[in-house]
């Protein structure tokens, strides 16, 4: 759990920055989106807004202004008994002050657009890229729920069931363990579907010879987990499938071994690429292990991305960023061979520690 004090210390950092550079900043929680008629999509608060306030209602605005009498103002929907009957409780102006530490609170309908507001996205993103102890603990829980879901899904897999049945089992675990749901649409891709990187239709019947790629994670207290595993429908891989699987595992190990403070995202990617290229040459799929274009036919995505409140989290440039203690990254090499209906990706979530790294999804069978 993130404490009120931690939310406050984040705001203090932004206010200190504004003290030095001048101006004021505005953050918005976001708007409800219509689904049909009077029904809305489930609301999910803007990550930057939540990061600074802990407030999760739609149509709210946070103003940070170190020159003002009240440096932290929250504009919110007022408490409304009629709204409470239909759509639930609102904190209102009182709750904004009492429960969310606002120095002042106002009716959102009285808000006038601040024209000279500063764009502090870069600052907040860089703050978000380094996770505190409390954030790491929340992410550990998010990861633990996802690990459990992947175990249940693995048990379920058998020839003849549909991909969506596996998806439903994942979701069942997410919700029953207190996660709000999926951190991103779950991928349950059997056979050739695994070669479509973001396949989310999940509607095919699983064939007895299929590999099944499951890429799924949950959102727990606004923090994501992101795990990929690959299973065989009947439990016994063909030689070709096994060769590719083993190669991806080796690439992942090589990439994880590079992670430590000061090393770069690019170094991890290069390590995975080297293992995969060499292996694919040995297996006869590639001719030249030093030809990046040839490699891209089989491995066309990055080896990892920052993970946090957003599944593809902010504050990291994969080409230039160096690891810092507290960063969390996925490590997810893959190989895709359409002609053989083989798609393998293995993904774990790793936090950078002073000595190297710690895997938050450790222990989930590969
Ligand atoms: Mn991922």
């Amino acid at each position: 759990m993130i404490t009120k004090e931690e939310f406050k210390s984040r705001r203090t950092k932004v206010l200190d920055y504004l003290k030095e550079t001048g101006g004021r900043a505005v953050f918005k929680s976001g708007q409800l989106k219509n689904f049909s008629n009077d029904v809305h999509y489930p609301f999910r608060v803007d990550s930057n807004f939540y990061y600074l306030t802990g407030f999760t209602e739609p149509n709210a605005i946070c103003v940070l202004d170190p020159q003002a009498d009240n440096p932290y103002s929250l504009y919110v929907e007022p408490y409304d008994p009629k709204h409470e009957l239909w759509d639930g409780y609102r904190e209102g102006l009182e709750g904004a002050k009492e429960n969310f530490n606002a120095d002042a609170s106002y009716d959102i309908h009285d808000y006038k657009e601040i024209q000279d507001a500063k764009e502090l996205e870069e600052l907040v993103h860089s703050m978000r890229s380094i996770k505190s102890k409390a954030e790491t603990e929340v992410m550990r829980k998010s990861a633990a729920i996802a690990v459990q879901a992947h175990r249940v899904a693995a048990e379920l897999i058998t020839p003849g069931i549909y991909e969506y049945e596996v998806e439903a089992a994942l979701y069942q675990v997410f919700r029953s363990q207190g996660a709000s749901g999926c951190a991103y649409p779950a991928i349950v891709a059997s056979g050739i579907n695994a070669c479509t990187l973001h396949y989310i239709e999940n509607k095919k019947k699983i064939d007895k010879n299929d590999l099944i790629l499951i890429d799924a994670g949950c959102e727990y207290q606004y923090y994501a987990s992101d795990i990929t595993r690959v299973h065989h429908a009947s439990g016994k891989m063909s030689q070709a499938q096994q060769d590719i699987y083993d190669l991806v595992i080796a690439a992942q190990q090589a990439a994880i071994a590079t992670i430590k403070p000061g090393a770069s995202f690019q170094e991890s990617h290069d390590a995975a690429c080297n293992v995969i290229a060499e292996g694919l040459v040995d297996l006869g799929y590639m001719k030249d292990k030093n030809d990046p274009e040839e490699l891209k036919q089989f491995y066309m995505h990055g080896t990892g991305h920052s993970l946090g409140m957003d599944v593809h989290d902010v504050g990291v440039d994969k080409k230039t960023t160096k690891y810092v203690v507290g960063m969390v990254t996925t490590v997810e090499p893959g190989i895709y061979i359409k002609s053989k209906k083989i798609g393998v990706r293995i993904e774990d979530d790793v936090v950078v520690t002073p000595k190297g790294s710690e895997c938050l999804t450790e222990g989930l069978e590969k």
Side-chain angles (χ1 to χ4, degrees):
M1 212 188 83
I2 314 297
T3 61
K4 283 186 191 179
E5 289 69 35
E6 187 161 337
F7 285 113
K8 187 177 177 186
S9 79
R10 295 168 181 175
R11 289 192 299 272
T12 303
K13 266 190 200 158
V14 174
L15 285 165
D16 285 348
Y17 177 87
L18 287 168
K19 254 182 229 164
E20 268 176 42
T21 58
R24 49 193 170 161
V26 171
F27 300 90
K28 299 185 177 181
S29 76
Q31 298 295 329
L32 283 170
K33 201 172 175 213
N34 191 257
F35 181 81
S36 69
N37 298 325
D38 57 349
V39 178
H40 294 101
Y41 286 96
F43 179 72
R44 200 283 195 175
V45 65
D46 174 81
S47 294
N48 285 344
F49 178 88
Y50 176 81
Y51 183 79
L52 294 170
T53 64
F55 196 74
T56 58
E57 291 180 18
N59 202 22
I61 293 176
C62 156
V63 180
L64 296 178
D65 181 357
Q67 314 304 334
D69 293 339
N70 297 307
Y72 168 36
S73 299
L74 263 183
Y75 290 77
V76 301
E77 288 279 1
Y79 175 76
D80 173 3
K82 205 169 92 196
H83 179 274
E84 186 163 68
L85 172 68
W86 288 95
D87 294 312
Y89 178 75
R90 270 178 187 157
E91 291 287 343
L93 275 65
E94 257 172 54
K97 279 167 81 170
E98 259 167 49
N99 302 325
F100 295 87
N101 283 345
D103 299 321
S105 60
Y106 306 97
D107 186 330
I108 185 70
H109 303 103
D110 296 333
Y111 178 75
K112 291 192 183 59
E113 206 60 55
I114 295 174
Q115 300 299 339
D116 61 347
K118 266 203 164 158
E119 183 54 70
L120 293 187
E121 209 162 64
E122 208 176 313
L123 171 72
V124 177
H125 284 182
S126 89
M127 287 165 65
R128 280 175 53 194
S129 72
I130 317 283
K131 274 70 180 178
S132 69
K133 242 191 172 148
E135 285 181 291
T136 309
E137 285 316 304
V138 174
M139 291 191 73
R140 196 184 298 284
K141 175 71 179 174
S142 182
I145 295 170
V147 163
Q148 198 188 332
H150 273 262
R151 285 199 174 121
V152 169
E155 284 291 312
L156 196 68
I157 285 172
T158 189
I161 68 162
Y162 284 85
E163 293 165 343
Y164 53 73
E165 295 180 66
V166 180
E167 177 190 341
L170 293 160
Y171 190 73
Q172 201 280 335
V173 177
F174 291 164
R175 288 297 285 144
S176 70
Q177 297 299 309
S180 62
C182 297
Y184 53 95
I187 298 167
V188 182
S190 60
I192 197 156
N193 290 341
C195 296
T196 302
L197 297 181
H198 289 161
Y199 171 83
I200 54 170
E201 288 168 294
N202 303 346
K203 64 180 186 188
K204 178 181 157 297
K205 198 176 193 174
I206 292 172
D207 181 75
K208 64 177 173 16
N209 298 317
D210 280 346
L211 289 179
I212 300 100
L213 182 153
I214 302 175
D215 183 344
C218 64
E219 183 174 275
Y220 178 78
Q221 292 182 2
Y222 297 95
Y223 284 83
S225 45
D226 185 1
I227 303 179
T228 308
R229 287 292 184 271
V230 172
H231 308 276
H232 191 275
S234 315
K236 180 92 184 92
M237 291 189 195
S238 70
Q239 192 58 49
Q241 290 170 334
Q242 188 72 52
D243 288 340
I244 296 302
Y245 188 89
D246 292 344
L247 192 49
V248 174
I249 293 282
Q252 198 205 27
Q253 282 169 350
I256 290 175
T258 64
I259 299 176
K260 61 179 180 202
S264 66
F265 277 75
Q266 185 65 42
E267 281 172 65
S268 304
H269 183 55
D270 291 343
C273 285
N274 288 339
V275 171
I276 290 173
E278 228 163 84
L280 288 180
V281 169
D282 288 346
L283 293 169
Y285 290 102
M286 274 176 66
K287 289 194 187 74
D288 179 2
K289 67 173 184 171
N290 296 315
D291 181 355
E293 289 310 311
E294 198 184 4
L295 176 62
K296 264 189 203 154
Q297 292 172 27
F298 304 100
Y299 181 32
M300 59 300 279
H301 58 75
T303 298
H305 54 80
S306 179
L307 184 70
M309 291 191 63
D310 297 331
V311 65
H312 291 171
D313 209 32
V314 292
V316 162
D317 180 317
K318 285 195 235 178
K319 290 268 169 241
T320 58
T321 302
K322 295 193 162 153
Y323 295 117
V324 174
V325 174
M327 277 184 183
V328 178
T329 180
T330 66
V331 185
E332 51 175 311
I335 301 175
Y336 310 89
I337 301 172
K338 243 185 170 164
S339 60
K340 298 205 164 169
K341 298 185 185 175
I342 295 175
V344 176
R345 177 167 67 253
I346 303 288
E347 175 175 33
D348 286 284
D349 305 342
V350 165
V351 55
V352 182
T353 63
K355 286 185 177 162
S357 71
E358 183 205 337
C359 184
L360 298 174
T361 44
E362 188 72 53
L364 178 59
E365 299 72 16
K366 287 177 195 166

